[in-house]
Amino acid sequence: MIKARVTVTLKNGVLDPQGKAIEGAIGSLGFDDVGQVRQGKVFDLELASADPQKAEKQIAEMCEKLLANTVIEDYAVELLER
C-alpha cells in the first residue's frame, strides 16, 4: 500500500477571494505580520499499488481528471510511505 498527499493550489496570477477574506480575518485578530494568504486543498490517498512509479502516474491522472482544475490550479504529489 502506498500513501500519498496531493496539494492543490491556485496558480500565480489567479485571484483568490477566499484567501483575501482569510487574510482580512487574520489581520482583524491582531496578526499584523501576515502579508498574503493563498488557500488550497489537500487530499490524502491510499493506493493498493506497491509500485511508486505506477502510483504517481495514477495520482497524476486523478489530478488531471478530477482533483485539480488544471486551467487555474497547480498540484503537487508527495508519496508518504509504502
Side-chain angles (χ1 to χ4, degrees):
M1 175 176 293
I2 293 177
K3 293 184 180 184
R5 176 164 290 151
V6 176
T7 304
V8 179
T9 56
L10 289 169
K11 291 183 178 185
N12 287 333
V14 175
L15 294 177
D16 184 358
Q18 186 175 1
K20 207 64 161 153
I22 294 167
E23 182 181 319
I26 286 173
S28 71
L29 292 172
F31 299 101
D32 298 327
D33 293 341
V34 178
Q36 183 181 19
V37 175
R38 306 270 301 165
Q39 62 86 33
K41 304 177 275 194
V42 174
F43 300 94
D44 288 334
L45 306 169
E46 290 183 5
L47 286 84
S49 175
D51 181 354
Q53 291 175 334
K54 181 180 176 185
E56 282 193 80
K57 183 178 177 188
Q58 288 178 325
I59 294 168
E61 288 179 28
M62 291 177 210
C63 291
E64 295 288 331
K65 293 180 179 182
L66 175 68
L67 300 179
N69 176 350
T70 57
V71 173
I72 61 169
E73 295 175 320
D74 289 324
Y75 64 88
V77 177
E78 175 187 7
L79 298 183
L80 302 174
E81 60 183 69
R82 288 187 242 174

